[in-house]
Amino acid sequence: MLDQIFDYLNFHFSIEAPIVLLILVFLEAVLSADNAIALAAIAQGLEDKELERQALNFGLVVAYVLRISLILTATWVQKLWQFELLGAAYLLWLVFQHFTSEEAKDDRHHGPRFNSLWQAIPVIAFTDLAFSLDSVTTAIAVSQETWLVLTGATVGIITLRFMAGLFIRWLDEFENLEDAGYVTVALVGLRLLLKVVNDNLVPPEWVMVTAIALILAWGFSKRTLTESPQVEAEKTEVPK
């Protein structure tokens, strides 16, 4: 029984396995930056900070199940261009919704707003799934051993949760970061769309990583102005 499971997962440990695993974890971390911003911006659609944390936790648990399912069915999914088209359309719809939303009091666009935790969880899960359509393909190109890809995905989802938590805080501190995040979401959506149209038009990974790094640098370039309370000094009369 175990032999059959190991064969299905291509579990063949070798001296190169730790090196390949490190590469997969590194790729997951690098390619998760734009995903983390998007998930953080979505979670901010809940007004309460505790609900934001719960939305990320529950949403990424569902996302993890969907990501594992995607990896196990990757050979079949990769043959159906409709999945990539749906993923591209979903991500581009998120971007459109963000930039066409009414500006808030801070003169900035914001992501979707939710009335309850259960509205945010599926949006977080399906957003991660749309991103995974691209990252899983990259991971499988690095290693054909399913167990390595699954292990990389597990570490990746933990890293994603940590990064999304950081970005939730940073979104309040940097004025352009949310817009920068949605621009990177647009890049991923357009990349998926190009894969559907013509795979030869898809830019290499280093171009995507460089573009995302430049966009994030712009996102971190300007801190949000906060009004500091002015404390007026009390005038006291000096007794004569």
Side-chain angles (χ1 to χ4, degrees), residues 99-166:
F99 284 108
T100 57
S101 64
E102 293 184 6
E103 293 184 351
K105 294 179 180 179
D106 55 5
D107 298 326
R108 293 158 59 187
H109 295 284
H110 293 283
R113 292 292 180 257
F114 306 105
N115 296 321
S116 70
L117 174 68
W118 304 109
Q119 289 180 338
I121 289 174
V123 178
I124 290 173
F126 283 111
T127 300
D128 179 76
L129 180 63
F131 273 91
S132 298
L133 288 171
D134 192 37
S135 61
V136 165
T137 303
T138 302
I140 291 175
V142 173
S143 175
Q144 294 297 318
E145 296 197 35
T146 307
W147 75 272
L148 276 177
V149 180
L150 290 173
T151 305
T154 303
V155 176
I157 209 80
I158 296 171
T159 304
L160 181 61
R161 173 61 184 88
F162 174 73
M163 292 175 66
L166 288 177

Coordinates of all heavy atoms in Angstrom, one line a residue, residues 99-166:
F99 N -9.4 49.4 -9.0 CA -9.1 50.7 -9.5 C -10.4 51.5 -10.0 O -10.3 52.7 -10.2 CB -8.2 50.6 -10.7 CG -6.7 50.3 -10.2 CD1 -6.2 49.1 -10.4 CD2 -6.0 51.3 -9.6 CE1 -4.9 48.8 -10.0 CE2 -4.7 51.0 -9.2 CZ -4.1 49.8 -9.4
T100 N -11.5 50.9 -10.0 CA -12.8 51.6 -10.4 C -13.6 51.9 -9.1 O -14.7 52.4 -9.2 CB -13.6 50.8 -11.4 OG1 -13.9 49.5 -10.9 CG2 -12.8 50.7 -12.7
S101 N -13.1 51.4 -8.0 CA -13.9 51.7 -6.7 C -13.8 53.1 -6.4 O -12.9 53.9 -6.8 CB -13.3 50.8 -5.6 OG -12.0 51.2 -5.3
E102 N -14.8 53.6 -5.6 CA -14.8 55.0 -5.2 C -13.6 55.2 -4.2 O -13.3 54.4 -3.3 CB -16.1 55.3 -4.5 CG -17.3 55.3 -5.5 CD -18.6 55.8 -4.8 OE1 -18.5 56.2 -3.6 OE2 -19.6 55.7 -5.4
E103 N -13.0 56.4 -4.3 CA -11.9 56.7 -3.4 C -12.5 57.0 -2.0 O -13.5 57.6 -1.8 CB -11.2 57.9 -3.9 CG -10.4 57.6 -5.2 CD -9.6 58.8 -5.6 OE1 -9.7 59.9 -5.0 OE2 -8.8 58.7 -6.6
A104 N -11.8 56.5 -1.0 CA -12.2 56.7 0.4 C -11.8 58.1 0.8 O -11.3 58.9 0.1 CB -11.6 55.6 1.3
K105 N -11.9 58.3 2.1 CA -11.6 59.6 2.7 C -10.1 60.0 2.5 O -9.7 61.1 2.6 CB -12.0 59.7 4.2 CG -13.5 59.7 4.4 CD -13.8 59.7 5.8 CE -15.4 59.7 6.1 NZ -15.7 59.7 7.5
D106 N -9.3 58.9 2.5 CA -7.8 59.1 2.3 C -7.4 59.3 0.9 O -6.2 59.3 0.5 CB -7.0 58.0 2.9 CG -7.5 56.6 2.4 OD1 -8.3 56.6 1.4 OD2 -7.0 55.6 2.9
D107 N -8.4 59.5 -0.1 CA -8.2 59.7 -1.5 C -7.4 58.5 -2.1 O -6.7 58.6 -3.0 CB -7.3 61.0 -1.7 CG -8.1 62.2 -1.3 OD1 -9.3 62.2 -1.4 OD2 -7.4 63.2 -0.8
R108 N -7.7 57.3 -1.6 CA -7.1 56.1 -2.2 C -8.2 55.1 -2.5 O -9.2 55.0 -1.8 CB -6.1 55.5 -1.1 CG -4.9 56.4 -0.9 CD -4.2 56.0 0.4 NE -3.8 54.7 0.5 CZ -3.3 54.1 1.6 NH1 -3.3 54.8 2.7 NH2 -3.0 52.8 1.7
H109 N -7.9 54.2 -3.5 CA -8.8 53.1 -3.8 C -8.5 52.0 -2.9 O -7.4 51.8 -2.4 CB -8.5 52.6 -5.3 CG -8.9 53.7 -6.3 ND1 -10.2 53.9 -6.7 CD2 -8.1 54.5 -7.1 CE1 -10.2 54.9 -7.6 NE2 -8.9 55.2 -7.9
H110 N -9.5 51.2 -2.6 CA -9.4 50.1 -1.7 C -10.1 48.9 -2.3 O -10.9 49.0 -3.2 CB -10.0 50.4 -0.3 CG -9.2 51.4 0.4 ND1 -8.0 51.2 1.1 CD2 -9.5 52.7 0.6 CE1 -7.6 52.3 1.6 NE2 -8.4 53.3 1.4
G111 N -9.7 47.7 -1.8 CA -10.2 46.4 -2.4 C -11.6 46.2 -1.9 O -12.3 47.1 -1.4
P112 N -12.2 45.0 -2.2 CA -13.6 44.7 -1.8 C -13.8 44.8 -0.4 O -12.9 44.6 0.5 CB -13.7 43.3 -2.3 CG -12.4 42.7 -2.4 CD -11.5 43.8 -2.7
R113 N -15.0 45.2 0.0 CA -15.5 45.3 1.4 C -16.4 44.2 1.7 O -17.3 43.8 0.9 CB -16.1 46.7 1.7 CG -15.1 47.8 1.6 CD -14.1 47.7 2.7 NE -13.1 48.8 2.7 CZ -11.9 48.6 2.3 NH1 -11.5 47.5 1.8 NH2 -11.0 49.6 2.4
F114 N -16.3 43.6 2.9 CA -17.1 42.4 3.3 C -17.9 42.7 4.6 O -17.5 43.5 5.4 CB -16.3 41.2 3.6 CG -15.3 40.9 2.4 CD1 -14.0 41.2 2.5 CD2 -15.8 40.3 1.2 CE1 -13.1 40.9 1.4 CE2 -15.0 40.0 0.2 CZ -13.6 40.3 0.3
N115 N -19.1 42.2 4.6 CA -20.0 42.3 5.8 C -19.7 41.2 6.8 O -20.1 41.4 8.0 CB -21.5 42.3 5.4 CG -21.8 43.5 4.5 OD1 -21.3 44.6 4.7 ND2 -22.6 43.3 3.5
S116 N -19.1 40.1 6.4 CA -18.9 39.0 7.3 C -17.6 38.3 7.0 O -17.1 38.4 5.8 CB -20.1 38.1 7.4 OG -20.1 37.3 6.2
L117 N -17.1 37.5 7.9 CA -15.9 36.7 7.7 C -16.1 35.7 6.6 O -15.2 35.5 5.8 CB -15.6 36.0 9.0 CG -14.5 35.0 9.0 CD1 -13.1 35.7 8.8 CD2 -14.5 34.2 10.3
W118 N -17.3 35.1 6.5 CA -17.5 34.1 5.5 C -17.6 34.6 4.1 O -17.6 33.8 3.1 CB -18.8 33.3 5.9 CG -18.7 32.8 7.3 CD1 -19.3 33.2 8.4 CD2 -17.8 31.8 7.8 NE1 -18.9 32.5 9.5 CE2 -18.0 31.7 9.1 CE3 -16.8 31.0 7.1 CZ2 -17.2 30.7 9.9 CZ3 -16.1 30.1 7.9 CH2 -16.3 30.0 9.3
Q119 N -17.7 35.9 3.9 CA -17.7 36.4 2.6 C -16.2 36.6 2.1 O -15.9 36.4 0.9 CB -18.3 37.8 2.5 CG -19.9 37.8 2.6 CD -20.5 39.2 2.6 OE1 -19.8 40.2 2.9 NE2 -21.7 39.3 2.3
A120 N -15.3 36.8 3.0 CA -13.9 37.1 2.7 C -13.2 35.8 2.4 O -12.3 35.7 1.6 CB -13.2 37.9 3.8
I121 N -13.5 34.7 3.2 CA -12.7 33.4 3.1 C -12.7 32.9 1.7 O -11.6 32.6 1.2 CB -13.3 32.4 4.1 CG1 -13.0 32.8 5.5 CG2 -12.8 31.0 3.8 CD1 -13.6 32.0 6.6
P122 N -13.8 32.7 1.0 CA -13.7 32.2 -0.4 C -13.0 33.1 -1.4 O -12.3 32.6 -2.3 CB -15.2 32.0 -0.8 CG -16.0 32.9 0.1 CD -15.2 32.9 1.4
V123 N -13.1 34.4 -1.2 CA -12.3 35.3 -2.1 C -10.8 35.1 -1.9 O -10.1 35.0 -2.8 CB -12.7 36.8 -1.8 CG1 -11.9 37.7 -2.7 CG2 -14.2 37.0 -2.1
I124 N -10.4 35.0 -0.6 CA -9.0 34.7 -0.3 C -8.5 33.4 -0.9 O -7.5 33.3 -1.6 CB -8.7 34.8 1.2 CG1 -8.9 36.2 1.7 CG2 -7.3 34.2 1.5 CD1 -8.8 36.3 3.2
A125 N -9.3 32.3 -0.7 CA -9.0 31.0 -1.2 C -8.9 31.0 -2.7 O -7.9 30.4 -3.3 CB -10.0 30.0 -0.7
F126 N -9.8 31.5 -3.4 CA -9.8 31.5 -4.9 C -8.8 32.4 -5.5 O -8.3 32.1 -6.6 CB -11.2 31.8 -5.5 CG -12.2 30.6 -5.3 CD1 -13.3 30.7 -4.4 CD2 -12.0 29.5 -6.1 CE1 -14.1 29.6 -4.3 CE2 -12.9 28.4 -5.9 CZ -13.9 28.5 -5.0
T127 N -8.5 33.5 -4.8 CA -7.4 34.3 -5.3 C -6.1 33.6 -5.2 O -5.3 33.6 -6.2 CB -7.3 35.6 -4.4 OG1 -8.5 36.3 -4.5 CG2 -6.2 36.5 -4.9
D128 N -5.8 32.9 -4.1 CA -4.6 32.1 -4.1 C -4.6 31.0 -5.1 O -3.5 30.7 -5.7 CB -4.4 31.5 -2.7 CG -3.2 30.6 -2.5 OD1 -2.1 31.2 -2.4 OD2 -3.3 29.4 -2.6
L129 N -5.7 30.4 -5.4 CA -5.8 29.3 -6.4 C -5.4 29.9 -7.8 O -4.7 29.3 -8.5 CB -7.2 28.7 -6.4 CG -7.4 27.6 -7.5 CD1 -6.5 26.4 -7.2 CD2 -8.9 27.2 -7.5
A130 N -5.9 31.1 -8.1 CA -5.6 31.7 -9.4 C -4.1 32.0 -9.5 O -3.5 31.7 -10.6 CB -6.4 33.0 -9.5
F131 N -3.5 32.4 -8.4 CA -2.0 32.6 -8.4 C -1.3 31.3 -8.6 O -0.3 31.2 -9.2 CB -1.6 33.3 -7.1 CG -1.6 34.8 -7.2 CD1 -2.8 35.5 -6.8 CD2 -0.5 35.6 -7.6 CE1 -2.8 36.9 -6.8 CE2 -0.6 36.9 -7.7 CZ -1.7 37.6 -7.3
S132 N -1.9 30.3 -8.0 CA -1.2 28.9 -8.0 C -1.2 28.3 -9.4 O -0.3 27.5 -9.7 CB -1.9 28.0 -7.0 OG -1.8 28.5 -5.7
L133 N -2.1 28.7 -10.2 CA -2.1 28.2 -11.6 C -0.8 28.5 -12.3 O -0.3 27.7 -13.1 CB -3.2 28.8 -12.4 CG -4.7 28.3 -12.0 CD1 -5.7 29.2 -12.8 CD2 -4.9 26.9 -12.4
D134 N -0.1 29.6 -11.9 CA 1.1 30.0 -12.5 C 2.3 29.4 -11.7 O 3.2 28.8 -12.3 CB 1.3 31.5 -12.5 CG 2.4 32.0 -13.4 OD1 2.7 31.3 -14.5 OD2 3.1 32.9 -13.0
S135 N 2.2 29.5 -10.4 CA 3.4 29.0 -9.5 C 3.5 27.5 -9.6 O 4.6 27.0 -9.5 CB 3.2 29.5 -8.1 OG 2.0 29.0 -7.5
V136 N 2.4 26.8 -9.6 CA 2.5 25.3 -9.6 C 3.2 24.8 -10.9 O 4.0 23.9 -10.9 CB 1.1 24.7 -9.5 CG1 1.1 23.2 -9.9 CG2 0.6 24.8 -8.1
T137 N 2.9 25.5 -12.0 CA 3.6 25.2 -13.3 C 5.1 25.3 -13.2 O 5.8 24.5 -13.6 CB 3.0 26.0 -14.4 OG1 1.6 25.9 -14.5 CG2 3.7 25.7 -15.8
T138 N 5.5 26.4 -12.5 CA 6.9 26.7 -12.3 C 7.5 25.6 -11.4 O 8.6 25.1 -11.7 CB 7.1 28.1 -11.7 OG1 6.5 29.1 -12.5 CG2 8.6 28.4 -11.5
A139 N 6.8 25.2 -10.4 CA 7.3 24.2 -9.4 C 7.5 22.9 -10.1 O 8.5 22.2 -9.9 CB 6.4 24.1 -8.2
I140 N 6.5 22.5 -10.9 CA 6.6 21.2 -11.6 C 7.7 21.2 -12.7 O 8.3 20.2 -12.9 CB 5.2 20.9 -12.2 CG1 4.2 20.6 -11.1 CG2 5.3 19.7 -13.2 CD1 2.8 20.4 -11.6
A141 N 8.0 22.4 -13.2 CA 9.1 22.4 -14.2 C 10.5 22.2 -13.5 O 11.4 21.7 -14.1 CB 9.1 23.8 -14.9
V142 N 10.5 22.6 -12.2 CA 11.8 22.4 -11.4 C 11.9 20.9 -11.0 O 13.0 20.3 -11.1 CB 11.8 23.3 -10.2 CG1 13.0 23.0 -9.3 CG2 11.8 24.7 -10.6
S143 N 10.8 20.3 -10.6 CA 10.9 18.9 -10.2 C 9.7 18.1 -10.6 O 8.6 18.6 -10.4 CB 11.1 18.8 -8.6 OG 11.0 17.5 -8.2
Q144 N 9.9 16.9 -11.1 CA 8.7 16.0 -11.4 C 8.3 15.2 -10.3 O 7.3 14.4 -10.4 CB 9.1 15.2 -12.6 CG 9.4 15.9 -13.9 CD 8.2 16.6 -14.4 OE1 7.1 16.1 -14.4 NE2 8.3 17.9 -14.9
E145 N 9.0 15.3 -9.1 CA 8.7 14.4 -8.0 C 7.6 15.2 -7.2 O 7.8 16.2 -6.6 CB 9.9 14.2 -7.1 CG 11.0 13.4 -7.8 CD 12.0 12.8 -6.8 OE1 11.6 12.5 -5.7 OE2 13.2 12.7 -7.2
T146 N 6.4 14.6 -7.2 CA 5.2 15.2 -6.6 C 5.4 15.5 -5.1 O 5.0 16.6 -4.6 CB 4.0 14.3 -6.8 OG1 3.9 14.0 -8.2 CG2 2.7 15.0 -6.4
W147 N 6.1 14.6 -4.4 CA 6.2 14.8 -2.9 C 7.0 16.1 -2.7 O 6.8 16.8 -1.7 CB 6.8 13.6 -2.3 CG 8.3 13.4 -2.5 CD1 8.9 12.7 -3.5 CD2 9.3 13.9 -1.6 NE1 10.2 12.7 -3.4 CE2 10.5 13.4 -2.2 CE3 9.4 14.6 -0.5 CZ2 11.8 13.7 -1.7 CZ3 10.6 14.9 0.1 CH2 11.8 14.4 -0.5
L148 N 8.0 16.4 -3.5 CA 8.8 17.6 -3.3 C 8.0 18.8 -3.6 O 8.1 19.8 -2.9 CB 10.0 17.5 -4.3 CG 11.3 16.8 -3.8 CD1 12.3 16.8 -4.9 CD2 11.8 17.4 -2.5
V149 N 7.2 18.8 -4.6 CA 6.3 19.9 -5.0 C 5.3 20.1 -3.9 O 5.0 21.3 -3.5 CB 5.6 19.7 -6.3 CG1 4.7 20.9 -6.6 CG2 6.6 19.5 -7.4
L150 N 4.8 19.0 -3.3 CA 3.8 19.2 -2.2 C 4.5 19.8 -1.0 O 3.9 20.6 -0.3 CB 3.2 17.8 -1.8 CG 2.3 17.2 -2.9 CD1 1.9 15.8 -2.5 CD2 1.0 18.0 -3.0
T151 N 5.7 19.3 -0.7 CA 6.4 19.9 0.5 C 6.7 21.3 0.3 O 6.6 22.2 1.2 CB 7.7 19.1 0.7 OG1 7.5 17.7 0.8 CG2 8.4 19.6 2.0
G152 N 7.1 21.7 -0.9 CA 7.4 23.1 -1.2 C 6.1 23.9 -1.1 O 6.2 25.1 -0.6
A153 N 5.0 23.4 -1.5 CA 3.7 24.1 -1.4 C 3.3 24.3 0.0 O 2.8 25.4 0.4 CB 2.6 23.4 -2.2
T154 N 3.6 23.3 0.9 CA 3.3 23.4 2.3 C 4.1 24.5 3.0 O 3.5 25.4 3.7 CB 3.5 22.1 3.0 OG1 2.8 21.0 2.4 CG2 3.2 22.1 4.5
V155 N 5.4 24.5 2.7 CA 6.2 25.6 3.2 C 5.8 26.9 2.7 O 5.8 28.0 3.3 CB 7.7 25.3 3.0 CG1 8.6 26.5 3.4 CG2 8.1 24.0 3.6
G156 N 5.4 26.9 1.4 CA 5.0 28.1 0.7 C 3.8 28.8 1.3 O 3.7 30.0 1.5
I157 N 2.8 27.9 1.7 CA 1.5 28.5 2.3 C 1.8 29.1 3.6 O 1.2 30.0 4.0 CB 0.4 27.4 2.3 CG1 -1.0 28.0 2.2 CG2 0.5 26.5 3.5 CD1 -1.4 28.4 0.8
I158 N 2.7 28.4 4.4 CA 3.1 29.0 5.7 C 3.8 30.3 5.5 O 3.5 31.3 6.2 CB 4.0 28.0 6.5 CG1 3.2 26.7 6.8 CG2 4.5 28.6 7.8 CD1 4.0 25.6 7.3
T159 N 4.7 30.4 4.6 CA 5.4 31.6 4.3 C 4.4 32.7 3.8 O 4.6 33.9 4.2 CB 6.5 31.4 3.2 OG1 7.4 30.4 3.6 CG2 7.3 32.7 2.9
L160 N 3.5 32.3 3.0 CA 2.5 33.3 2.5 C 1.7 33.9 3.6 O 1.4 35.1 3.6 CB 1.6 32.5 1.5 CG 0.5 33.4 0.9 CD1 1.1 34.5 0.0 CD2 -0.4 32.5 0.0
R161 N 1.3 33.0 4.6 CA 0.5 33.5 5.8 C 1.4 34.6 6.6 O 0.8 35.6 7.0 CB 0.1 32.4 6.7 CG -0.5 32.8 8.0 CD -1.8 33.6 7.8 NE -2.4 34.1 9.0 CZ -2.1 35.3 9.5 NH1 -1.2 36.1 9.0 NH2 -2.7 35.7 10.6
F162 N 2.6 34.3 6.7 CA 3.5 35.2 7.4 C 3.7 36.5 6.7 O 3.6 37.6 7.2 CB 4.9 34.5 7.7 CG 5.9 35.5 8.3 CD1 5.9 35.8 9.6 CD2 6.9 36.0 7.5 CE1 6.8 36.7 10.2 CE2 7.9 36.8 8.0 CZ 7.8 37.2 9.4
M163 N 3.9 36.4 5.4 CA 4.1 37.6 4.5 C 2.8 38.4 4.5 O 2.8 39.7 4.5 CB 4.5 37.2 3.1 CG 5.9 36.6 3.1 SD 6.4 36.0 1.4 CE 6.4 37.6 0.5
A164 N 1.7 37.8 4.4 CA 0.4 38.5 4.3 C 0.1 39.3 5.6 O -0.4 40.4 5.6 CB -0.8 37.5 4.0
G165 N 0.5 38.7 6.7 CA 0.4 39.4 8.0 C 1.2 40.6 8.0 O 0.8 41.7 8.6
L166 N 2.4 40.6 7.5 CA 3.3 41.7 7.4 C 2.7 42.8 6.5 O 2.7 44.0 6.9 CB 4.7 41.3 6.9 CG 5.6 40.6 7.9 CD1 6.9 40.2 7.2 CD2 5.9 41.4 9.1

